[in-house]
Amino acid sequence: MRNLAKRVIFQTLNDKRSVALILIAPLLILTLVYFLLGDSDYVPTVVLDDNAPEQLVDAFKDETLEVEQALFDDPKAYIEDNEHVDAVFEMDQEGTTITLREPSTKSSKAVGEIQDALTTLNPAAEIDTSFVYGEEGQSTFDSFGFVFLSLFSFFFVFILSAMALVKERSGGTLERLLMTPIKRGQVILGYTLGYGTFAVIQSIFIVLYSIYVLGLSSLGNMAWVMLTMLLMAGTAVLFGATISVFARSELQVVQMIPFTIIPQVFFSGLIPLDLIPYGLGNLSYVMPIFYGATAIKEVMIYGSGFSGIWVYLLGLILYAGVLYLLNMRALGKYRGH
């Protein structure tokens, strides 16, 4: 038993990836969580009516709020037309009303600051809250369902393609295939189409199950969600192929997950990018899950069509194109040039 334990210890120490997974990966992820969930310097923007009392405006300005004044007939329409606005505050004889964009951490921060301001004026004031998108008391699944759709669409296809390609390379199948007249680009497209077939089936199942069984709500056309998930799945295949270049076994693919997949989870929409301190939110633009999750959110939460998501679809296509070129270059060494 002692000899077996020693052998396992020395084998693990000789595998640098295993050592990194055990010692370094947890520290890196904890550090990332520390930065992402640290004190945010985000300042909510609240709009008051142009005729709001000066005393009320001053009370708001004393809090951590960006205060604007404007004339508006419909606060919901005003928020829809002004993306930088987090809340519209109204106070009249009928009562006090706060209109927010959607249930989120940003909305909670805005409400908290507004309540602090009102406490100095009227501690007993009752506030009615409404949302432009979503509703108060909705489940966490309804709020973040778009995140899980994108994560599952990407993660499982990534695992399947990366492990399968490592197995084919270690078994010599890939080298024998490259000895034939087939072009490298055709090899990559062949793998992408092959695994993409399963991705299509997976996407259909996930979307239908989420909508008709779990009751996930959606304001937009689910066809755009399907298209986004298919593009994400294709990107995941190419991403898995790229990662497989650096892995010699299926175990090493799993060891890379903390460095390749888990960081993307934090930038998928679980945390509003505006709330991420130190400018780390900009890292989302180099992560494919960001583009897919944002496009799905635009459709499901805001009811957007192609005009609202084409930029994110283009981002996925460009990302897939870059991965395709990287895989072309990587396959060159297996062919000997």
Side-chain angles (χ1 to χ4, degrees):
M1 182 178 67
R2 184 182 301 175
N3 292 334
L4 177 59
K6 287 183 178 180
R7 183 169 65 84
V8 170
I9 291 172
F10 285 115
Q11 283 181 344
T12 303
L13 290 175
N14 289 330
D15 186 349
K16 296 180 180 179
R17 289 182 176 86
S18 295
V19 174
L21 180 67
I22 296 171
L23 300 179
I24 300 177
L27 301 182
L28 291 177
I29 294 174
L30 281 173
T31 303
L32 181 60
V33 171
Y34 168 78
F35 283 122
L36 296 180
L37 302 182
D39 293 334
S40 173
D41 56 359
Y42 181 74
V43 178
T45 299
V46 178
V47 174
L48 302 176
D49 189 272
D50 255 345
N51 300 318
E54 185 177 349
Q55 184 181 9
L56 179 65
V57 176
D58 291 339
F60 273 57
K61 289 183 177 179
D62 288 339
E63 304 300 328
T64 310
L65 290 170
E66 186 71 32
V67 181
E68 298 180 3
Q69 291 184 266
L71 290 174
F72 50 84
D73 295 324
D74 185 354
K76 291 188 176 182
Y78 186 84
I79 291 178
E80 288 179 350
D81 296 335
N82 297 270
E83 294 185 359
H84 71 287
V85 174
D86 296 298
V88 171
F89 179 85
E90 298 174 284
M91 177 181 286
D92 51 33
Q93 295 179 350
E94 297 180 358
T96 302
T97 303
I98 303 175
T99 304
L100 302 158
R101 181 171 298 277
E102 60 181 308
S104 67
T105 308
K106 293 167 63 176
S107 297
S108 299
K109 187 169 185 177
V111 171
E113 295 293 339
I114 291 173
Q115 288 176 336
D116 289 342
L118 292 179
T119 299
T120 62
L121 300 175
N122 183 8
E126 295 184 1
I127 303 175
D128 292 327
T129 305
S130 63
F131 298 93
V132 178
Y133 305 103
E135 56 187 21
E136 190 173 8
Q138 69 181 23
S139 68
T140 304
F141 183 69
D142 282 329
S143 300
F144 295 105
F146 68 93
V147 175
F148 299 111
L149 288 180
S150 59
L151 286 176
F152 293 158
S153 176
F154 190 90
F155 179 72
F156 291 110
V157 176
F158 161 78
I159 289 293
L160 173 66
S161 61
M163 287 190 170
L165 289 170
V166 166
K167 186 176 182 180
E168 289 212 349
R169 196 176 73 243
S170 61
T173 304
L174 183 60
E175 286 80 355
R176 290 194 295 270
L177 181 63
L178 290 173
M179 291 179 183
T180 66
I182 189 171
K183 297 180 179 179
R184 285 176 289 171
Q186 293 175 326
V187 172
I188 298 171
L189 289 177
Y191 281 123
T192 303
L193 291 175
Y195 294 117
T197 301
F198 295 100
V200 171
I201 298 173
Q202 180 207 60
S203 299
I204 293 174
F205 269 68
I206 290 177
V207 171
L208 294 180
Y209 185 80
S210 299
I211 298 295
Y212 295 107
V213 178
L214 302 181
L216 183 63
S217 60
S218 175
L219 295 180
N221 190 332
M222 293 307 297
W224 296 121
V225 175
M226 290 290 300
L227 175 62
T228 303
M229 291 183 67
L230 293 179
L231 286 176
M232 285 198 67
T235 305
V237 173
L238 293 168
F239 193 79
T242 304
I243 294 301
S244 70
V245 173
F246 303 98
R248 297 179 181 178
S249 65
E250 292 90 335
L251 176 61
Q252 290 184 356
V253 172
V254 175
Q255 291 172 339
M256 291 183 182
I257 290 176
F259 304 99
T260 57
I261 299 298
I262 292 181
Q264 296 195 57
V265 174
F266 298 112
F267 296 94
S268 61
L270 287 174
I271 306 172
L273 299 182
D274 293 337
L275 294 182
I276 300 177
Y278 314 113
L280 292 178
N282 294 322
L283 292 176
S284 61
Y285 298 112
V286 298
M287 300 184 182
I289 286 182
F290 163 76
Y291 297 99
T294 306
I296 294 174
K297 180 180 181 180
E298 285 287 333
V299 175
M300 300 188 72
I301 305 298
Y302 302 143
S304 301
F306 180 74
S307 60
I309 66 172
W310 71 268
V311 173
Y312 306 109
L313 298 183
L314 180 61
L316 281 174
I317 293 172
L318 292 176
Y319 207 105
V322 171
L323 292 175
Y324 176 81
L325 295 176
L326 289 175
N327 279 286
M328 284 273 290
R329 186 176 181 85
L331 284 182
K333 68 179 183 178
Y334 295 108
R335 190 167 246 175
H337 58 268

